[in-house]
């Protein structure tokens, strides 16, 4: 049998986001290849010139089973994740040799984010036929509500905390909840709203999506959909609040205020959240960077498409203006900045690829007509590439 390969980083472990972030692409690849194969009359398979991707190494036509191998590979990874996440959230690292999640932090930011994102998006991609993927998404969101969501004591801002493992002298593991939120985590706001609007809290594939904007009757009081919609809205409000810096740009990581915070936080922190500082005369911490990330504008775009509320366009425009003012390089291109609280800014000498594929794309779509890449017809992968929804021709492991 085939086994996972070790990385030369992170002690040979793989991240949860890695094992859960090729599904949309490989599933669609198998689907379109099989569709192309079906368009060729069987009696012509051995006589006509086939493209290389429909031929094996010996030049023979590939079979449907061979073309489905891409789907099967990523589906097997999801089957391993399914077994390891029953009744609990996954940690951010897995052993590739046996597929076991190891004791490591639990978070929706780095190394965890797109695993959660793809649970819902795989379900939507295959026309809501794979109900067990929705069950995995719902279970994860229930666990997040129970264990990770907190609110600040004064303004009631909602945020997603992290769980960090700690080991005592007897080797016993306990979990400390850290009020820390990555910019990456803000993808969850729009994804929760998308889930509520397009599933309405049911696994019925024929259910109609919510109205735009949703009517009170679209979400039953006290239902999963009503809860997730409100959580998405509230989280997006908190994420947008982190744009209130000297540059108008959100930092890489923020810590939120809590009712049990230590004295030094009460003495030094202002507002409902803060950026952990660096010692005097030292470079600013990595937490203070803005590296052109897209997750807040991604959720703003989704929220606008689902509500048509003009405030989301206002929010997006303010972010775009801040990027233009502080990140645009006179000689061409854009650069991340070292500290969102320092003006004039200090640039980093690079432009991340996701700035073009995601940040600018979502800002463009925010101001485009709803007929441009409609959410009813497509899903965006984690790099904002649109993939059409389809109905698989075969039984899958998650139906």
């Amino acid at each position: 049998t085939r086994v996972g390969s070790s990385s030369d980083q992170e002690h040979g472990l793989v991240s949860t986001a890695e094992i859960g972030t090729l599904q949309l692409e490989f599933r669609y690849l198998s689907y379109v290849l099989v569709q192309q194969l079906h368009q060729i009359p069987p009696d012509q398979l051995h006589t006509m010139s086939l493209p290389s991707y429909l031929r094996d190494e010996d030049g023979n036509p590939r079979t449907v089973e061979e073309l489905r191998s891409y789907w099967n590979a990523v589906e097997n990874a999801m089957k391993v994740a399914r077994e390891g996440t029953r009744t609990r959230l996954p940690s951010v690292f897995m052993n590739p040799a046996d597929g076991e999640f190891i004791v490591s932090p639990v978070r929706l930011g780095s190394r965890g984010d797109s695993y959660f994102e793809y649970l819902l998006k795989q379900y939507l991609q295959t026309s809501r036929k794979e109900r067990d993927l929705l069950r995995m998404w719902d279970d994860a969101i229930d666990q997040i509500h129970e264990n990770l969501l907190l609110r600040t004591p004064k303004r009631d801002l909602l945020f997603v905390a992290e769980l960090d493992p700690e080991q005592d002298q007897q080797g016993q593991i306990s979990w400390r909840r850290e009020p820390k939120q990555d910019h990456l985590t803000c993808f969850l706001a729009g994804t929760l709203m998308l889930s509520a609007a397009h599933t309405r809290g049911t696994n019925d594939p024929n259910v109609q999506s919510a109205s735009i904007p949703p009517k009170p009757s679209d979400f039953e009081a006290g239902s999963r959909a009503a809860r997730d919609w409100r959580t998405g809205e509230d989280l997006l409000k908190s994420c947008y609040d982190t744009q209130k810096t000297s540059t108008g740009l959100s930092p890489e990581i923020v810590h939120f205020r809590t009712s049990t915070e230590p004295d030094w936080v009460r003495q030094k922190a202002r507002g409902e959240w803060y950026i952990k500082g660096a010692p005097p005369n030292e470079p600013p911490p990595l937490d203070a960077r803005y590296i052109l990330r897209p997750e807040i504008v991604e959720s703003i775009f989704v929220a606008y498409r689902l509500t048509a509320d003009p405030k989301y366009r206002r929010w997006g425009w303010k972010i775009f203006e801040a990027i233009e003012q502080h990140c645009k390089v006179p000689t061409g291109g854009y650069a991340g900045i070292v500290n969102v609280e320092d003006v004039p800014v200090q640039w980093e000498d690079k432009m991340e690829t996701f700035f073009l594929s995601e940040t600018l794309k979502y800002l463009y779509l925010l101001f485009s007509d709803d007929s441009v890449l409609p959410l009813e017809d497509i899903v965006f992968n984690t790099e904002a590439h649109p993939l059409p929804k389809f109905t698989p021709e075969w039984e899958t492991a998650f139906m």
Side-chain angles (χ1 to χ4, degrees):
T1 59
R2 302 177 69 179
V3 297
S5 60
S6 298
S7 167
D8 58 359
Q9 300 179 3
E10 304 296 348
H11 309 289
L13 302 173
V14 295
S15 74
T16 301
E18 286 177 304
I19 63 103
T21 314
L22 292 173
Q23 278 67 21
L24 295 181
E25 297 83 353
F26 275 46
R27 285 150 48 101
Y28 186 63
L29 175 61
S30 277
Y31 173 75
V32 295
L33 289 176
V34 170
Q35 290 295 304
Q36 289 200 28
L37 186 67
H38 285 339
Q39 291 174 11
I40 302 172
D43 59 350
Q44 297 182 23
L45 281 175
H46 293 275
T47 59
M48 67 182 299
S49 177
L50 297 177
S52 60
Y53 50 81
L54 291 182
R55 289 183 278 111
D56 62 20
E57 294 178 354
D58 298 322
N60 298 315
R62 298 174 70 185
T63 65
V64 170
E65 283 303 315
E66 288 174 326
L67 297 176
R68 282 178 55 184
S69 63
Y70 307 108
W71 184 301
N72 294 338
V74 293
E75 185 176 74
N76 285 338
M78 289 306 301
K79 288 193 287 187
V80 172
R82 175 169 61 183
E83 292 306 309
T85 56
R86 294 189 186 275
T87 73
R88 68 187 180 98
L89 288 169
S91 57
V92 295
F93 286 116
M94 174 188 280
N95 184 337
D98 58 16
E100 292 290 328
F101 290 101
I102 70 161
V103 176
S104 53
V106 174
R107 61 173 176 258
L108 272 75
S110 62
R111 303 194 180 279
D113 50 355
S114 43
Y115 165 80
F116 297 95
E117 175 188 359
Y118 273 27
L119 290 178
L120 175 69
K121 289 186 174 180
Q122 287 178 82
Y123 174 71
L124 297 177
Q125 180 189 37
T126 50
S127 304
R128 301 187 281 199
K129 301 297 185 184
E130 298 178 282
R131 296 184 179 186
D132 209 37
L133 288 168
L134 181 63
R135 193 270 309 164
M136 292 175 67
W137 162 260
D138 287 340
D139 287 354
I141 298 306
D142 288 346
Q143 291 287 328
I144 290 167
H145 275 91
E146 182 177 346
N147 297 298
L148 300 185
L149 293 187
L150 296 173
R151 290 184 179 271
T152 59
K154 291 184 178 179
R155 291 176 50 210
D156 203 38
L157 292 182
L158 181 72
F159 65 95
V160 184
E162 299 182 0
L163 293 179
D164 291 333
E166 296 180 327
Q167 188 174 37
D168 63 21
Q169 294 180 346
Q170 287 72 44
Q172 296 296 312
I173 300 295
S174 61
W175 295 88
R176 175 173 53 85
R177 194 156 52 181
E178 181 77 10
K180 166 181 171 285
Q181 180 176 287
D182 294 3
H183 188 130
L184 289 162
T185 304
C186 290
F187 85 90
L188 183 64
T191 309
L192 281 168
M193 296 175 73
L194 182 66
S195 173
H198 282 205
T199 73
R200 294 177 61 189
T202 175
N203 64 6
D204 179 359
N206 299 313
V207 69
Q208 293 294 314
S209 297
S211 307
I212 301 175
K215 301 174 183 176
S217 59
D218 286 334
F219 306 138
E220 293 183 14
S223 68
R224 177 188 300 278
R227 178 200 67 180
D228 291 354
W229 180 268
R230 184 188 173 192
T231 297
E233 283 189 314
D234 289 354
L235 179 59
L236 183 51
K237 176 183 175 183
S238 300
C239 288
Y240 183 68
D241 199 78
T242 64
Q243 302 282 153
K244 296 177 180 178
T245 62
S246 299
T247 58
L249 297 168
S250 179
E252 180 74 357
I253 296 173
V254 298
H255 284 71
F256 283 87
R257 308 292 298 275
T258 69
S259 57
T260 58
E261 62 195 14
D263 289 339
W264 70 265
V265 174
R266 296 190 187 94
Q267 294 167 5
K268 294 185 177 182
R270 295 175 294 175
E272 294 290 88
W273 54 269
Y274 59 96
I275 305 169
K276 272 197 170 180
N281 303 317
E282 292 291 328
L286 295 179
D287 293 15
R289 297 175 300 163
Y290 173 65
I291 60 173
L292 307 171
R293 285 212 184 274
E295 283 74 20
I296 294 178
V297 294
E298 172 187 354
S299 283
I300 288 173
F301 156 70
V302 173
Y304 178 75
R305 283 289 181 92
L306 297 176
T307 65
D309 189 334
K311 78 176 179 184
Y312 293 120
R313 279 185 165 174
R314 292 196 296 270
W315 289 6
W317 186 250
K318 285 186 177 180
I319 294 172
F320 175 71
E321 287 185 315
I323 292 171
E324 284 288 293
Q325 181 177 355
H326 297 294
C327 301
K328 192 172 185 177
V329 179
T331 53
Y334 293 77
I337 59 177
V338 172
N339 189 344
V340 295
E341 293 290 10
D342 281 352
V343 178
V345 300
Q346 178 184 346
W347 288 318
E348 294 188 315
D349 190 20
K350 62 180 177 180
M351 181 176 74
E352 299 283 357
T353 56
F354 52 68
F355 177 66
L356 298 178
S357 66
E358 296 185 76
T359 309
L360 290 184
K361 185 184 296 178
Y362 282 128
L363 285 168
Y364 172 80
L365 290 172
L366 175 62
F367 295 95
S368 299
D369 189 83
D370 290 358
S371 62
V372 179
L373 300 177
L375 296 180
E376 285 289 346
D377 299 333
I378 60 99
V379 289
F380 288 99
N381 78 351
T382 195
E383 297 300 324
H385 302 311
L387 297 170
K389 296 178 182 179
F390 61 91
T391 300
E393 299 178 352
W394 51 83
E395 192 79 11
T396 78
F398 291 87
M399 286 182 172

